[in-house]
Amino acid sequence: MTIHRRDFVRLAAAATVLPRLRPAAAFLGRAGARRDTYDVAVIGAGVFGAWTGWELQRAGKRVVLLDAYGPANARASSGGESRVIRLGYGKDEIYTRMALHSLDRWQELSDRAELPILYRVGTLFLVGSDEKYGRESLETVRRVGGRIEELSRAELAVRYPQIALNGITRGQLEPESGALMARRGVLTLVREFVRAGGSYVDEAVAPPSGSGRLAEVTTRNGDRVRADTFVFACGPWLPRVFPALLRGRIHSTRQEVFFFGPAPGDRRFAPPLLPVWLDVSRTSAIMYGMPDLESRGFKIAADAHGPPMDPDTAERRVSAAGLSAARAYLVKRFPALARAPLVESRVCQYENTSNGDFLIDRHPDIENVWLVGGGSGHGFKHGPAVGDYVARAVAGELTAAEPRFSLATKLVQQHRAVF
Ligand SMILES: Cc1cc2nc3c(=O)[nH]c(=O)nc-3n(C[C@H](O)[C@H](O)[C@H](O)COP(=O)(O)OP(=O)(O)OC[C@H]3O[C@@H](n4cnc5c(N)ncnc54)[C@H](O)[C@@H]3O)c2cc1C
């Protein structure tokens, strides 16, 4: 397993640096000169919008980035503490390739940042008797040149004695994958964007109307922003901005995340002794989690769609049922944590397309508007690849548009196919 020790060293030195990460509006709001007209306006500073803005600016465009609540805000899907980055996607080579591309870009961003954004602590798949997904992931990752190792059940037992292996037949470890510090990553990126001359504005954009070409958008405060091209990367809000087009094609589901506190001095649930893990044994819903990163607790969540959720108004308090299910899973898979206290919890929303494929396409009626979203619970890691794709699409440099990202493939009927 590759552990980048410099990350831990930098982290140890971070205590004195942390206060420099001031709240978004204060440290970004005034920066970046306002212009009369921009090449591109990107609406939404989540992971997709932030990488898109950053890539466009790097390509020499004059870009303004706007967000209703602030980059990686508490309501945004990108606003969580951490996100898994993995290469394995079954036989879905497109996402394996995108993740591999993104891994390098995240590493570069992490290297430039004050605090680590990527922790390459490894990502471990726990595979059960239904081998299909694991086997296909293994083959695809190897085919595209990613690193992945197979571990027998006996090897798993020796390497990870803190994991109970009932129902697990073997493991596969991606030693160079791991965890992304989500909110920090987006803030760092937007700050780089602003420092390099991009404009960031804390404003909600009113839904555009009409057809043909869009000349400007209006903010809720009445300001007008003119641009040649508009990219709407509004995550779970996309159906609010384009109700006639997207209602029912992107649906938000409530997802609960739990952080449990290991006993003092117990390092078995922190890197390097535990990597990021995904339980794909199908003995329950797919469960996944993080080792204790930066002393925020051992994270655990179910990758099963929850009930519908309103991203603006939802109260973000976890349910008693969700907490008991997480504890029941701990008893089964991480028994030494069965009595560990809940130290933090979060409620967030997935913004799902019908099958889990992203939406990156031109608006069918407004030629200079792009729709970017549908991260569907797995989008964060792909931020760099999505930003690169959208920047090339906007510049007219895409040799071939990816059919799986098209609006035409986004149905109202749900049938999840990407895991
Ligand atoms: C609990 C949970 C766990 C996840 N785990 C993983 C994981 O382990 N790995 C992974 O790769 N992915 C994961 N994901 C998925 C990933 O986080 C999302 O797919 C991704 O963050 C979506 O980013 P986005 O930029 O599309 O949307 P968002 O982050 O929601 O950003 C959209 C932005 O648009 C802004 N906005 C909306 N409307 C307007 C408007 N009218 N005007 C101006 N601004 C507006 C919002 O304020 C918001 O900031 C997870 C998601 C959740 C909820």
Side-chain angles (χ1 to χ4, degrees):
M1 181 189 311
T2 310
I3 304 275
H4 284 226
R5 293 207 63 82
R6 65 175 184 277
D7 288 345
F8 293 98
V9 173
R10 264 193 303 164
L11 186 61
T16 53
V17 181
L18 261 172
R20 286 165 61 186
L21 274 180
R22 281 174 285 144
F27 91 96
L28 299 170
R30 284 192 301 273
R34 288 255 193 152
R35 296 173 187 276
D36 292 339
T37 185
Y38 295 90
D39 295 325
V40 188
V42 179
I43 297 100
V47 74
F48 284 177
W51 274 105
T52 298
W54 189 91
E55 285 284 357
L56 284 164
Q57 190 190 47
R58 202 171 65 124
K61 307 279 184 210
R62 292 168 302 162
V63 186
V64 60
L65 182 59
L66 302 103
D67 199 289
Y69 295 111
N73 62 78
R75 290 173 169 95
S77 298
S78 307
E81 171 82 2
S82 52
R83 294 289 183 257
V84 178
I85 182 159
R86 60 177 157 107
L87 304 178
Y89 263 91
K91 59 179 167 31
D92 256 331
E93 185 172 319
I94 178 176
Y95 293 113
T96 301
R97 284 191 183 282
M98 287 172 74
L100 197 57
H101 166 95
S102 298
L103 201 48
D104 287 344
R105 299 287 89 73
W106 283 117
Q107 182 66 64
E108 288 160 15
L109 182 68
S110 193
D111 288 343
R112 294 193 300 271
E114 287 170 353
L115 293 174
I117 290 163
L118 172 62
Y119 283 109
R120 292 189 185 240
V121 296
T123 298
L124 175 68
F125 285 62
L126 298 167
V127 181
S129 52
D130 178 1
E131 287 249 321
K132 194 168 179 292
Y133 179 79
R135 189 58 59 197
E136 286 174 346
S137 296
L138 197 73
E139 285 162 9
T140 311
V141 171
R142 286 193 172 141
R143 191 166 59 243
V144 307
R147 280 192 60 198
I148 190 161
E149 298 162 8
E150 269 193 278
L151 298 172
S152 67
R153 195 173 191 278
E155 285 168 322
L156 279 178
V158 171
R159 224 148 137 175
Y160 307 111
Q162 68 280 55
I163 305 179
L165 294 176
N166 35 316
I168 304 299
T169 53
R170 62 180 185 82
Q172 47 199 54
L173 179 71
E174 298 175 10
E176 295 184 344
S177 302
L180 292 160
M181 302 312 284
R183 173 173 168 270
R184 182 186 300 161
V186 173
L187 286 178
T188 303
L189 199 62
V190 176
R191 190 158 67 164
E192 277 197 354
F193 163 84
V194 167
R195 286 184 172 175
S199 296
Y200 170 78
V201 184
D202 248 345
E203 290 264 23
V205 169
S209 55
S211 57
R213 265 192 94 72
L214 185 67
E216 62 185 28
V217 288
T218 311
T219 70
R220 300 263 184 215
N221 289 331
D223 283 349
R224 290 169 173 196
V225 179
R226 298 181 66 80
D228 293 336
T229 305
F230 297 84
V231 175
F232 284 85
C234 299
W237 288 268
L238 269 178
R240 295 251 158 102
V241 184
F242 300 100
L245 198 60
L246 295 179
R247 189 177 294 133
R249 298 214 220 186
I250 291 182
H251 70 117
S252 299
T253 54
R254 187 187 146 85
Q255 309 297 143
E256 299 187 337
V257 179
F258 304 90
F259 295 80
F260 292 93
D266 185 351
R267 301 304 298 160
R268 290 175 296 166
F269 301 97
L273 296 183
L274 189 70
V276 168
W277 54 273
L278 286 94
D279 185 341
V280 296
S281 65
R282 310 264 174 186
T283 52
S284 58
I286 294 181
M287 301 293 288
Y288 68 94
M290 306 269 177
D292 185 357
L293 295 170
E294 303 185 0
S295 311
R296 302 308 299 177
F298 170 92
K299 172 175 165 176
I300 173 170
D303 183 36
H305 292 175
M309 168 160 160
D310 183 319
D312 284 305
T313 59
E315 289 256 278
R316 292 171 188 256
R317 200 178 303 128
V318 292
S319 63
L323 179 55
S324 349
R327 270 206 190 281
Y329 183 78
L330 282 183
V331 170
K332 176 177 130 184
R333 191 65 76 213
F334 296 94
L337 289 178
R339 288 164 192 268
L342 181 73
V343 290
E344 249 181 66
S345 57
R346 281 193 65 83
V347 175
C348 189
Q349 66 282 310
Y350 284 177
E351 60 298 313
N352 306 291
T353 59
S354 48
N355 67 354
D357 276 331
F358 302 153
L359 167 62
I360 310 177
D361 203 352
R362 213 185 269 274
H363 190 291
D365 303 320
I366 317 179
E367 65 194 59
N368 59 337
V369 165
W370 287 83
L371 310 167
V372 177
S376 306
H378 70 103
F380 195 91
K381 67 182 79 59
H382 300 293
V386 168
D388 175 66
Y389 181 94
V390 180
R392 285 187 291 121
V394 166
E397 289 168 3
L398 269 188
T399 40
E402 171 53 54
R404 288 179 66 173
F405 297 160
S406 69
L407 178 62
T409 58
K410 306 298 172 286
L411 310 177
V412 171
Q413 209 163 27
Q414 296 298 304
H415 180 67
R416 187 174 176 188
V418 178
F419 289 94

